[in-house]
Each structure stands twice: as C-alpha cells, then as structure tokens.
C-alpha cells in the first residue's frame, strides 16, 4: 500500500496517538507488587501490550494463581488516570498528521471508553477523534482477534483490504493481519525505541516507522490536497 490510497486509516491509541504505554506498565507493576506479584517491563511488554484489562487480569490469575480483589480494577484505573493527568504526552507530530489526512481516520483501542476519552481529551484529540473512536467493549473478542478492526471498517462501510492499520504492539499487528488489512508498525513510543527486536513470523507488518514526522514522506498520497 506504499503508493496505494486506502479508504480508511485505523489508528491504535496507546503507544500510537499517545505516549502512554510506559506509564501504564509502570503503574501496573507497582500495583501488582503491592499484592506480592513481581513482574517487570519485559513481562508487561510480552503479555499485556495492546490487550484489554480483562485479558490482563486473566493472565495474572492463570500464571500467578491470584484472584484480584474486586476493588483492584477501580483503584488501578483511578491511579492510572491521575498519572496520565500529570505525565501523559501526545505522540510528536501525530496531531499535524491527523489534521492533514486526506482520507477518513478512526481509532480502535483496547482501552476502556472512559480511559480513551480521558486520554484523548488530555492531549487535545478528542474533539477530532471522539466520534470515530471504537473500543474493545463494543466487540465480543479483543485484539489479537480481528473483531475490533472489522467493526470499525464496517462502521465506515469500507472493505478490510482497503484499510490501513497503524499499531505498535504485536497483539495489534496480529489483529490487523487477521482482519485482512495492511498494517504499519509505529515504533516511536518511549516503551519501544530503535532497539525494538524484529517481529515474529506471525506478526510481520507491511512497514515500520519511528516518527510521524516521516509519515507523509512515506505516503504522500495520504495527505489532503491543499
């Protein structure tokens, strides 16, 4: 799709629009440590990146035999939102890219509706993207299943093959590929970087890029004509 023009761009939120994954990971590590569960950033990246909260909790239950107390989720979410208010940053140059897009765009995220709205409001993207933001709560299966991306495409009446997904996580890449869509991997978040290892065979994107400053150099056909 390097020179083809998709009919819809589907953007992940965490780690693509906002530099949030490192904040979320550190908060989860801290909260679980208080319950005697010791994990590190590598564990979070392997098992949790791009996945919904219920999936994360199921992994904790399965691997550590811990049934998290009912208040854990609410406490974690409140503390995470407080951390976002203090630390969250929009991904550099992404606002300019979105403003200049010449094709429709939407958001498809594993985050909860409340979290994604709060996050996008904090960085000034909600007014633009809020009406076209879809969450895992709207489908039966979250990423890496293709359901959420297919749901977004259906809302725009666009065939999957005509969609371009922009993701950071292997989970999201797998979901996009399973949906039959083109997938670009963004590696510019603070949780990744230039040393991000190659993708496994089941999660190879069509392209990698590390900065939204390069977006229209890669795909000038996606820019709105002045």
């Amino acid at each position: 799709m390097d020179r083809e023009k998709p009919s819809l761009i589907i953007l992940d939120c965490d780690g693509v629009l906002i530099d949030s994954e490192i904040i979320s990971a550190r908060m989860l590590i801290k909260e679980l440590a208080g319950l005697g569960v010791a994990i590190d950033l590598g564990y979070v990246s392997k098992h949790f990146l791009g996945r919904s909260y219920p999936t994360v909790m199921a992994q904790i239950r399965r691997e550590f035999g811990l049934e998290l107390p009912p208040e854990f989720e609410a406490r974690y979410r409140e503390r995470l939102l407080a951390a976002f208010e203090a630390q969250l940053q929009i991904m550099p140059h992404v606002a300019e890219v979105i403003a200049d897009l010449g094709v429709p765009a939407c958001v498809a995220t594993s985050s909860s509706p409340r979290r994604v709205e709060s996050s996008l409001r904090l960085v000034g993207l909600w007014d633009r993207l809020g009406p076209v933001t879809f969450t895992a709560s709207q489908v039966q299966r979250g990423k890496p299943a293709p359901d959420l991306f297919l749901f977004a495409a259906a809302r725009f009446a666009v065939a999957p093959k005509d969609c371009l997904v922009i993701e950071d996580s292997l989970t999201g890449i797998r979901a996009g590929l399973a949906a039959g869509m083109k997938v670009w991997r963004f590696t510019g978040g603070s949780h990744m970087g230039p040393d991000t290892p190659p993708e496994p065979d089941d999660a190879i994107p069509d392209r990698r890029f590390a900065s939204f400053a390069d977006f229209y150099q890669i795909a000038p056909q996606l820019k709105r004509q002045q």
Side-chain angles (χ1 to χ4, degrees), residues 31-214:
E31 292 297 312
L32 289 173
L35 297 175
V37 175
I39 59 174
D40 58 17
L41 287 172
Y43 186 93
V44 173
S45 178
K46 180 179 180 180
H47 294 285
F48 300 155
L49 197 63
R51 295 181 181 269
S52 65
Y53 181 86
T55 302
V56 170
M57 295 304 99
Q59 171 71 17
I60 293 295
R61 187 183 308 114
R62 182 169 54 249
E63 178 136 346
F64 298 97
L66 176 65
E67 193 68 45
L68 294 170
E71 68 274 11
F72 180 87
E73 179 177 359
R75 184 178 67 237
Y76 167 73
R77 291 188 186 279
E78 289 301 325
R79 291 179 178 176
L80 182 60
L81 290 178
F84 278 6
E85 289 185 9
Q87 305 171 41
L88 188 64
Q89 299 290 323
I90 191 171
M91 210 62 79
H93 306 289
V94 76
E96 297 92 326
V97 166
I98 291 170
D100 287 338
L101 277 174
V103 297
C106 67
V107 178
T109 176
S110 297
S111 288
S112 67
R114 182 187 176 200
R115 174 174 158 180
V116 68
E117 178 174 353
S118 176
S119 299
L120 293 182
R121 284 191 185 280
L122 283 169
V123 299
L125 292 177
W126 182 252
D127 287 347
R128 167 67 176 82
L129 295 174
V132 288
T133 290
F134 309 108
T135 72
S137 65
Q138 295 174 279
V139 295
Q140 184 173 359
R141 301 177 300 168
K143 304 171 188 178
D147 301 30
L148 182 56
F149 289 139
L150 293 174
F151 179 82
R155 284 295 186 93
F156 280 81
V158 173
K161 66 180 179 63
D162 295 323
C163 296
L164 170 61
V165 169
I166 300 179
E167 268 282 359
D168 65 310
S169 71
L170 297 178
T171 297
I173 294 170
R174 292 183 178 109
L177 295 175
M181 301 175 178
K182 295 292 184 181
V183 183
W184 290 3
R185 188 181 196 186
F186 175 68
T187 61
S190 58
H191 64 297
M192 299 185 74
D195 297 328
T196 300
E199 296 80 12
D201 290 344
D202 67 337
I204 297 176
D206 295 276
R207 175 181 283 277
R208 261 188 176 208
F209 71 107
S211 173
F212 278 98
D214 302 328

Side-chain angles (χ1 to χ4, degrees), residues 2-23:
D2 282 4
R3 294 299 168 189
E4 296 175 14
K5 189 172 183 178
S7 299
L8 177 66
I9 296 176
I10 305 177
L11 298 148
D12 181 38
C13 182
D14 294 281
V16 174
L17 296 176
I18 54 174
D19 202 1
S20 57
E21 292 290 13
I22 193 69
I23 303 173

